[in-house]
Amino acid sequence: MEIKVLKNVMIKNNSIGADNRAFFREKAVLAVNLVSSPGAGKTTLLESTIDKMRSKYKVAVIEGDLYTSRDAERLEKFNIQIVQINTEGGCHLDARMVSGAIKEINIDDVDVLFIENVGNLVCPASFDLGEAKRILIYSIAEGADKPQKYSTMFKTADVVLINKVDLSTACRVDVDHVEKEIRSINDKALVLRTTAVDPHSLREWMMWLEGEIERSKKSKD
Amino acid sequence: MEIKVLKNVMIKNNSIGADNRAFFREKAVLAVNLVSSPGAGKTTLLESTIDKMRSKYKVAVIEGDLYTSRDAERLEKFNIQIVQINTEGGCHLDARMVSGAIKEINIDDVDVLFIENVGNLVCPASFDLGEAKRILIYSIAEGADKPQKYSTMFKTADVVLINKVDLSTACRVDVDHVEKEIRSINDKALVLRTTAVDPHSLREWMMWLEGEIERSKKSKD
């Protein structure tokens, strides 16, 4: 019974996720799902990214968190559209939550929608939110063995940002080895090295992101 | 229906957890549940801890992991009893899994049983395994805001080890502030500062642990 219920939940989630994706495509909005362990740097990456792009593109954010709105508060300074989802202890966002949050956003005034998921390297992997791209932020401080151990998350990512690379020496972690471990699980993902607090390290990430936004906008024309 | 099933799951888990706890008490085994985010240092802490105590106490380990036995392999050098549980993608250990694993252990030859949970700061918080003590390993690299954001996990911990404190400067995190944030959520927990790779930093942790093992042994006499 438990398994059957879970299966029904997933089927329903995937159906709503597909609706969300169709909606984003119709509106030419690039929807990006940011996933990671707690404290890997999702919000800091968002801060640096939004700061760099907001003069050029219209940005909105859906913030997922168990109980607080701390991350949303960090982004208020940018004067962009932000919707907070509190899962009340729930371990991931799902497509229905995102579908509800979209209704709070003036989507015609958005080029790119960042969806910051709950910090969790397990459960969010299984829930399609309707995003166009899934970005995994992987802190070097977590060590090199996580791609094997949390393989579903690494397999389903379109981009993996190896973050906090400035800490690699202090953490005794070899970044080349980390990258190799990631590629052994997912040889299609774009793998980049970043230090989210250092905007200079985000050049390739920003180039990729802007390329995707432009592609998304063109697909409407 | 979904909620009802979840409620049934929790009631059943708590019942099996209580049975496990009664069994451990009868056998005078201190059962310890180690929880954390991925890569916070659970296995490294276990390595250092077991190395320090194995001449004095009989140690066994239940290793929880989604798919791999990597952590168990790291502990093989100690020549202790180890049972691997693979959750096959599941996001936490539950009491039934532990109940099954116990059957594989010669429990009369154990003083302390470490149960290393799946790396996840959300789901394992809600599942009592029958442990006597729950230890949360919190890596300083995760930042200072996690106690508020993942409050259930911090509320249910008996001990919080602020780990990787050697990285605090590099991570721009103030350890005093982290400790304050933890205490604002849980003012009963024992909070210690550790660097799991440095055995010298584990003095207080080892003292607390040995005290608990002795208390557990005495309760049988």
Side-chain angles (χ1 to χ4, degrees), chain A residues 156-167:
Chain A
T156 59
D158 298 293
V159 179
V160 181
L161 301 182
I162 308 176
N163 195 31
K164 308 194 188 187
V165 287
D166 59 323
L167 297 180

Side-chain angles (χ1 to χ4, degrees), chain B residues 107-176:
Chain B
I107 204 80
D108 292 321
D109 201 34
V110 178
D111 295 319
V112 55
L113 172 67
F114 295 106
I115 306 167
E116 182 173 346
N117 220 310
V118 173
N120 181 343
L121 214 50
V122 187
C123 316
S126 306
F127 287 82
D128 176 23
L129 307 180
E131 72 267 23
K133 299 289 175 185
R134 186 176 290 190
I135 317 298
L136 169 55
I137 295 100
Y138 177 31
S139 161
I140 199 86
E142 294 174 46
D145 58 350
K146 302 307 172 287
Q148 296 270 354
K149 293 183 57 169
Y150 300 83
S151 53
T152 308
M153 191 58 104
F154 282 83
K155 272 178 194 157
T156 59
D158 298 294
V159 179
V160 181
L161 301 182
I162 307 176
N163 196 30
K164 309 195 188 186
V165 287
D166 59 323
L167 297 180
S168 60
T169 308
C171 293
R172 306 166 196 85
V173 176
D174 175 1
V175 185
D176 290 336

Side-chain angles (χ1 to χ4, degrees), chain B residues 51-120:
Chain B
D51 193 44
K52 269 175 171 281
M53 75 183 341
R54 65 184 163 141
S55 62
K56 199 168 170 186
Y57 298 107
K58 291 169 283 181
V59 179
V61 176
I62 295 174
E63 270 297 340
D65 198 72
L66 279 73
Y67 304 107
T68 80
S69 57
R70 284 199 162 197
D71 297 340
E73 287 156 22
R74 285 170 62 184
L75 302 178
E76 272 175 0
K77 61 192 169 208
F78 295 121
N79 205 16
I80 55 172
Q81 297 189 72
I82 308 174
V83 178
Q84 176 71 54
I85 298 174
N86 282 133
T87 62
E88 302 301 332
C91 50
H92 59 271
L93 294 182
D94 65 32
R96 189 168 43 185
M97 296 175 194
V98 170
S99 170
I102 296 166
K103 294 184 179 65
E104 309 293 317
I105 294 173
N106 176 8
I107 204 80
D108 292 321
D109 201 34
V110 178
D111 295 319
V112 55
L113 172 67
F114 295 106
I115 306 167
E116 182 173 346
N117 220 310
V118 173
N120 181 343

Side-chain angles (χ1 to χ4, degrees), chain A residues 9 37-39 65 67-68 70-71 89 91 119 122-123 141-142 145-146 148-152 164 167 170 172 181, chain B residues 2 37-39 65 67 70-71 89 91 119 122-123 141-142 145-146 148-152 164 166-167 170 181:
Chain A
V9 167
S37 293
D65 198 71
Y67 305 107
T68 80
R70 284 198 163 197
D71 296 339
C91 50
V122 187
C123 316
E142 293 173 47
D145 59 349
K146 301 307 170 290
Q148 296 272 354
K149 293 183 57 170
Y150 300 83
S151 53
T152 308
K164 308 194 188 187
L167 297 180
R172 305 165 196 87
E181 289 285 304
Chain B
E2 219 182 299
S37 293
D65 198 72
Y67 304 107
R70 284 199 162 197
D71 297 340
C91 50
V122 187
C123 316
E142 294 174 46
D145 58 350
K146 302 307 172 287
Q148 296 270 354
K149 293 183 57 169
Y150 300 83
S151 53
T152 308
K164 309 195 188 186
D166 59 323
L167 297 180
E181 290 286 304

Side-chain angles (χ1 to χ4, degrees), chain A residues 104-116:
Chain A
E104 309 293 317
I105 294 173
N106 175 9
I107 204 79
D108 293 319
D109 200 34
V110 179
D111 296 319
V112 54
L113 172 67
F114 295 106
I115 306 167
E116 182 173 346

